[in-house]
Amino acid sequence: MKVIVTKNNEDASKKAFELIKEEMNNGAKVLGLATGSTPIPMYQDMVNSDIDFSNMTSVNLDEYVGLAPDDPQSYHHFMQVNLFDKKPFAKTYVPDGLATDAEAETSRYNKVIADNPIDLQILGLGRNGHIGFNEPGSPFDSETRKVPLTESTIEANARFFDNENDVPKFAYSMGIGSILKSKKIILMAFGSAKADAIKAMIEGPATPDCPASALQNKDNVTIILDTEAASKLADSAKIEKTA
Ligand code: F6R
């Protein structure tokens, strides 16, 4: 696991986009993508670039259960607005929030992942250590499933909704096991609210209590932080350290 600490989220996002381009030059065809505020500057860099993604496939991590693809709060809509409308991909996959048969939808999505092995997965990090919507307690070998969101995640995501009660209580999420099958993984985290989760993920034990700790001891994982998110790490003074 390589940990890169940058000055701010702009530098971090540029670094992440450089790694994406490097992987595309090496033949990567499938990107695993995340939503939330963390990857937005990176998506802006992608949009403002002259890189063509029209032969690329994307597989997103998760979607709220109950939200239609065109719902402004849905992750499907988020991806359209922040990336796909401006940089078309050959094929994009997001779980179907309107699917009522959870078993059918999660099997369908597991097949999507199996048919489109992810070359490079982009991850954000929840304050509670979640990746995708794999909340604390999620098994490291989990596949796509319907998951209840924790109170802390509902509270953190309430900023995107008019009312906390409008935040969906369930999501379809790619599992940790599926994430770990990606050839390469980049996790980004910015701001002091992520510092405890970053410390637990990098320095704590590898345990489902901190889902992101599943990434420990993997040499295909790059963590890109700003100084605030790295502030509780034992040696946060280093600009770049390899663990
Ligand atoms: C989003 C996702 C989540 C977020 C995490 C951080 O697709 O899977 O794990 O990456 O909740 O969210 P932000 O970036 O909004 O702090």
Side-chain angles (χ1 to χ4, degrees):
M1 183 158 78
K2 187 176 184 192
V3 181
I4 299 175
V5 184
T6 60
K7 218 170 49 248
N8 52 38
N9 66 347
E10 280 173 29
D11 288 2
S13 306
K14 286 196 173 35
K15 180 75 204 165
F17 185 27
E18 268 170 34
L19 296 177
I20 291 181
K21 285 187 276 194
E22 208 175 291
E23 288 311 310
M24 284 173 66
N25 288 337
N26 289 337
K29 286 277 174 283
V30 183
L31 299 181
L33 297 177
T35 59
S37 48
T38 304
I40 290 178
M42 187 191 78
Y43 292 148
Q44 276 165 0
D45 289 345
M46 289 167 78
V47 165
N48 294 332
S49 74
D50 54 7
I51 306 287
D52 178 21
F53 295 92
S54 63
N55 63 353
M56 298 293 289
T57 294
S58 69
V59 183
N60 258 81
L61 282 169
D62 41 19
E63 178 60 286
Y64 288 120
V65 171
L67 298 193
D70 60 354
D71 187 303
Q73 310 296 351
S74 76
Y75 283 172
H76 187 281
H77 184 262
F78 173 102
M79 291 308 302
Q80 287 301 135
V81 171
N82 285 289
L83 187 61
F84 303 145
D85 284 349
K86 294 156 198 152
K87 283 287 184 189
F89 277 52
K91 191 80 195 133
T92 63
Y93 296 99
V94 181
D96 177 6
L98 287 187
T100 47
D101 183 342
E103 214 177 298
E105 176 56 11
T106 53
S107 329
R108 181 191 73 84
Y109 211 68
N110 282 328
K111 185 161 182 333
V112 164
I113 299 165
D115 292 347
N116 298 275
I118 296 170
D119 293 302
L120 177 60
Q121 175 68 55
I122 303 295
L123 297 174
L125 177 71
R127 294 180 210 174
N128 61 2
H130 74 213
I131 49 175
F133 273 135
N134 295 286
E135 300 283 30
S138 300
F140 283 179
D141 61 356
S142 47
E143 294 195 311
T144 309
R145 64 216 188 287
K146 182 179 174 180
V147 289
L149 304 184
T150 62
E151 274 309 311
S152 84
T153 297
I154 291 170
E155 196 191 298
N157 290 2
R159 67 191 193 282
F160 298 115
F161 292 80
D162 290 339
N163 186 312
E164 191 166 322
N165 292 330
D166 295 340
V167 185
K169 308 288 182 287
F170 291 89
Y172 290 125
S173 179
M174 199 187 279
I176 298 178
S178 322
I179 292 172
L180 292 177
K181 284 193 187 133
S182 310
K183 283 195 203 121
K184 293 211 169 157
I185 298 174
I186 295 174
L187 180 145
M188 290 186 282
F190 310 136
S192 54
K194 303 288 173 71
D196 284 325
I198 283 294
K199 189 175 174 62
M201 167 192 163
I202 294 174
E203 293 177 2
T207 159
D209 293 345
C210 176
S213 66
L215 304 175
Q216 279 180 15
N217 303 319
K218 305 264 181 289
D219 58 12
N220 60 340
V221 174
T222 303
I223 314 291
I224 310 181
L225 308 173
D226 67 359
T227 43
E228 289 182 351
S231 60
K232 294 195 177 169
L233 286 179
D235 192 359
S236 60
K238 281 192 185 167
I239 294 304
E240 184 163 327
K241 72 169 190 167
T242 305

